[in-house]
Amino acid sequence: ASSFITPISNCLPENYETTARDYCEGFAHKDKLEIQVLNPEGHLLISTTGFSLEPSSMPDFESALSSTSDGYYSGKSSVGESILCKTELLYSGDELFGAVRWIVSLEKVNDQIFWTCLFAVLLGAAVLTILFITGMYFIRSIVRPIRDVSSVARKIALGDFEQRIELKSNNEIGELCDSINYMAGELKAAENLKNDFISSVSHELRTPLTAITGWAETIAFDPAVQGDSLRGINIITKEAERLT
């Protein structure tokens, strides 16, 4: 924006007002920028809008005077519009002969910032929604099945070989469930084989032990059996009962 006021800021003091008036009247960017030409006391000489009404306040001009350099102001205008202003003091040697102000509206910039922020918020919300949906899918497809697998595996470890995991997918989790179901079936078959073996062995041992116990007791009642023989018969009876 500073380049627009170069023709005025570079003019001679004696040509200041004439140059400023000619330049402001022919200014081609009145829809984008307002230029105000001031005298050393800060009174408006001419502006590109054509109005001679002086601004109610010029913080940038006051800032420039206090620092003897360019002054800036960013804020609200008297009508509530967001603006950015700059005042450039004009010197001839050490003597101040005028000042040039440019004023540009920030409404379009603010609108652009607003829409950019809104887009960023909407994009963030969309990303969070996608993350939420994928997270729920992850929980439903992996975490819950693994929890079910862990629960069934714990019951199988405690001896409940009737437990089975319901197959809901054909992925790696499904293969794991199938393997655990197969393992449970094999453990149940091994348990049944063990029980059958123990039952068979118990039956096969109990029959001769019953005969041994019965005959030992019968022999013990024989009056002819005395001394070590009777003691031996009693030991046979006790050991047979212990085996039973």
Side-chain angles (χ1 to χ4, degrees), residues 1-2 5 36 60-61 70-73 84-88 100-104:
S2 298
I5 63 175
Q36 296 178 348
D60 49 302
F61 177 74
D70 297 344
Y72 294 88
Y73 170 72
L84 175 65
C85 307
K86 177 188 175 183
T87 294
E88 182 178 331
V100 182
R101 254 181 120 221
W102 57 256
I103 306 167
V104 62

Side-chain angles (χ1 to χ4, degrees), residues 29-233:
H29 303 283
K30 297 179 180 181
D31 57 331
K32 300 178 181 179
L33 186 73
E34 178 185 356
I35 296 177
Q36 296 178 348
V37 180
L38 311 176
N39 65 14
E41 289 75 29
H43 298 300
L44 181 66
L45 296 177
I46 191 172
S47 71
T48 54
T49 60
F51 297 110
S52 60
L53 183 64
E54 294 187 9
S56 57
S57 63
M58 295 185 292
D60 49 302
F61 177 74
E62 297 170 1
S63 173
L65 288 178
S66 62
S67 62
T68 65
S69 62
D70 297 344
Y72 294 88
Y73 170 72
S74 177
K76 297 287 186 179
S77 67
S78 58
V79 295
E81 181 183 11
S82 296
I83 58 174
L84 175 65
C85 307
K86 177 188 175 183
T87 294
E88 182 178 331
L89 300 179
L90 305 180
Y91 287 92
S92 176
D94 294 332
E95 182 181 356
L96 176 67
F97 68 87
V100 182
R101 254 181 120 221
W102 57 256
I103 306 167
V104 62
S105 174
L106 298 179
E107 292 297 321
K108 290 185 178 180
V109 176
N110 292 339
D111 288 344
Q112 184 66 35
I113 293 174
F114 170 78
W115 287 113
T116 302
C117 292
L118 180 61
F119 175 77
V121 170
L122 294 177
L123 180 61
V127 171
L128 290 177
T129 301
I130 294 174
L131 290 176
F132 176 77
I133 294 174
T134 54
M136 292 300 298
Y137 173 78
F138 176 79
I139 292 174
R140 292 177 62 88
S141 62
I142 297 180
V143 176
R144 288 182 181 175
I146 290 179
R147 188 182 302 156
D148 295 340
V149 168
S150 177
S151 177
V152 172
R154 190 176 296 109
K155 293 178 181 178
I156 293 174
L158 295 175
D160 186 1
F161 303 127
E162 297 293 337
Q163 290 290 327
R164 294 293 184 274
I165 304 173
E166 182 182 356
L167 297 178
K168 296 181 179 179
S169 60
N170 295 324
N171 55 17
E172 289 79 3
I173 299 296
E175 293 179 3
L176 175 61
C177 294
D178 188 56
S179 298
I180 291 179
N181 289 339
Y182 177 77
M183 177 194 69
E186 291 298 310
L187 289 174
K188 180 175 177 57
E191 179 72 9
N192 292 336
L193 182 62
K194 181 197 72 173
N195 292 337
D196 291 343
F197 173 76
I198 293 175
S199 177
S200 176
V201 169
S202 298
H203 178 267
E204 293 299 326
L205 289 176
R206 188 176 293 110
T207 300
L209 286 173
T210 300
I212 292 171
T213 302
W215 280 108
E217 291 176 350
T218 300
I219 294 173
F221 283 107
D222 188 347
V225 179
Q226 299 292 330
D228 290 339
S229 297
L230 181 58
R231 187 165 53 255
I233 292 300

